[in-house]
Amino acid sequence: MKPDVATAVRKYRWQFSGMVAHVIQRATGVLLLVYLFLHVLTVNKLSQGPEAFNQALATFKSPLFKVLEIMLLGTVILHALNGIRITLIDLGVGHERQRQLFWVWSVGLGAVIFLAGGIPIFLAGVLKL
Amino acid sequence: MNTYQVRIVRSDEKGVSRGVETFSVALADRMTVLDALFSIQANQDPSLSFRCACRVGMCGTCAMTINAVPRLACKTQVGRLDSPSVTIAPLPNLPVVKDLVISLEPFFEQWKKIKPALHSEARDSNELARIPAGSPYARETPRKRDCITCGICYAACGVKATSGEYLGPAAINKAFLRILDPRDDATEERLDVINGERAGIWRCHTQFGCTAACPKKIDLTDTLVRLKRAMLFPSKLKKLKKKGVSKAVS
């Protein structure tokens, strides 16, 4: 990033929170679409018999997939909370406080839920504690 | 006096890019980007083109992109940018005429579509419209009437960047004001335009870019949200219009 643009992002990210939220919503949406394909592909394994399905599920128990699962959790939380924020704004509720809604509701509350859900998955799935 | 590196995105008289040129400019604390441009034009490159008129932020002529944010050059103090360098580019979403000069023609083409002028059946009447002080029109519209048609909201709009047909925030705001205007009788026609699938308010993704960039601090997203709700619940619009207006009286 050019220094001026970096300064602008640092200086005006609060002012342009709505745009930041918009980009995050689109990016998480695309990630969820990728996950959806993977999910359908896995469920489709059922048509090949129980062994194929169990084999697919065994793959998802590896630490790498557990890390991806934690990332999926974060993506779902951010997309869902921000989606609620956008719905409220479009209905005319709280759009005057859309920045606070984004940082406190979508990011802040999202981080709390993410940690609450992500830490147990990390401990059990990655560290095997 | 501090010395700033001013990087300007240049283009020739056909609007073809000539890349970025850097100028070194000494400026006092409270000097503006417009002052920097005048200094460059006077002392370093007389061919530099930019527009300005009032120099006090009320004409909107000197709108340009300054350090990645669209704003008025006359109201932007270089010292407050918190950067030793300043990058200046023409407004996006509008055709470049030369250097920092853009054509506002597409902006006003959209502006015309919402019929910005007053359309009153009683145009020749000498009666005055009465607007009660407590009415929504009197209460809500003053904050939205300050538009100086600078094109900054149009440039800051992410949707406008991808859709040439979209009306843009300024035109929709003007339509909103006219819809609530007690003297106006072209509400249905305006609603048809702003309800359009490709050009209308439904294209807005509530990114708040227009509201964040507007130099007159007009809450443009509020206008769009209100109109969206009005479209979903037409009775609300009728109520608002009824409350907001009382027809011309003798």
Side-chain angles (χ1 to χ4, degrees), chain B:
Chain B
M1 295 280 268
N2 291 320
T3 302
Y4 294 90
Q5 298 299 310
V6 180
R7 303 168 74 243
I8 301 177
V9 177
R10 306 290 304 267
S11 52
D12 65 18
E13 57 280 357
K14 286 176 185 162
V16 179
S17 174
R18 281 172 43 201
V20 179
E21 272 183 55
T22 306
F23 302 90
S24 201
V25 190
L27 294 169
D29 276 354
R30 296 181 67 186
M31 289 180 89
T32 64
V33 171
L34 191 61
D35 294 325
L37 292 173
F38 272 117
S39 168
I40 293 166
Q41 196 184 50
N43 305 314
Q44 300 184 54
D45 187 350
S47 72
L48 177 66
S49 301
F50 57 93
R51 279 199 184 122
C52 73
C54 74
R55 301 195 196 188
V56 289
M58 60 183 277
C59 74
T61 317
C62 64
M64 52 190 74
T65 307
I66 301 161
N67 278 9
V69 178
R71 44 182 139 204
L72 298 178
C74 69
K75 296 292 281 181
T76 307
Q77 291 180 13
V78 179
R80 291 198 170 183
L81 292 170
D82 291 342
S83 174
S85 65
V86 183
T87 303
I88 311 171
L91 284 184
N93 305 344
L94 290 159
V96 177
V97 176
K98 185 179 181 287
D99 293 337
L100 303 171
V101 179
I102 43 91
S103 166
L104 278 169
E105 210 175 313
F107 173 87
F108 282 111
E109 282 304 315
Q110 303 296 349
W111 183 263
K112 280 184 224 162
K113 284 180 190 169
I114 56 96
K115 299 181 187 296
L118 185 70
H119 288 262
S120 175
E121 285 165 9
R123 197 168 50 175
D124 300 326
S125 166
N126 289 328
E127 293 172 342
L128 297 173
R130 187 174 63 189
I131 302 167
S135 68
Y137 181 76
R139 214 172 46 233
E140 300 292 339
T141 57
R143 285 176 289 166
K144 298 184 190 296
R145 270 187 254 157
D146 288 344
C147 181
I148 52 174
T149 59
C150 59
I152 281 181
C153 59
Y154 195 91
C157 177
V159 177
K160 192 65 230 177
T162 58
S163 167
E165 291 170 74
Y166 180 49
L167 290 165
I172 292 171
N173 187 60
K174 185 69 183 175
F176 179 73
L177 290 172
R178 282 286 177 245
I179 286 167
L180 287 188
D181 195 316
R183 302 158 297 171
D184 195 77
D185 293 309
T187 302
E188 292 301 324
E189 292 165 54
R190 289 199 183 87
L191 287 179
D192 280 348
V193 177
I194 61 174
N195 198 23
E197 191 185 337
R198 298 190 64 80
I201 52 168
W202 303 107
R203 294 304 304 272
C204 171
H205 287 275
T206 43
Q207 296 170 338
F208 292 91
C210 53
T211 305
C214 177
K216 305 308 280 186
K217 308 272 181 248
I218 301 172
D219 192 348
L220 293 156
T221 314
D222 173 74
T223 302
L224 282 145
V225 166
R226 277 161 189 267
L227 282 171
K228 279 180 185 176
R229 259 190 307 170
M231 293 295 184
L232 288 173
F233 310 104
S235 59
K236 282 200 171 191
L237 180 71
K238 280 179 192 157
K239 213 187 274 179
L240 193 67
K241 191 159 171 77
K242 248 186 203 170
K243 272 189 190 173
V245 304
S246 64
K247 294 295 274 185
V249 291
S250 309

Side-chain angles (χ1 to χ4, degrees), chain A residues 5 13 17 19 24-25 31 36 40 45-46 50 53 56 61 63 67 71-72 78 85 89 93 97 99-100 110-112:
Chain A
V5 177
R13 66 180 183 274
S17 299
M19 188 63 85
I24 286 175
Q25 191 69 2
L31 288 173
L36 191 67
V40 171
K45 293 276 180 192
L46 277 172
F53 185 66
K61 284 180 181 159
V67 171
M71 287 164 70
L72 173 69
L78 209 49
R85 171 187 161 272
I89 287 168
V93 180
R97 299 201 173 273
R99 293 170 191 164
Q100 290 88 337
V112 172

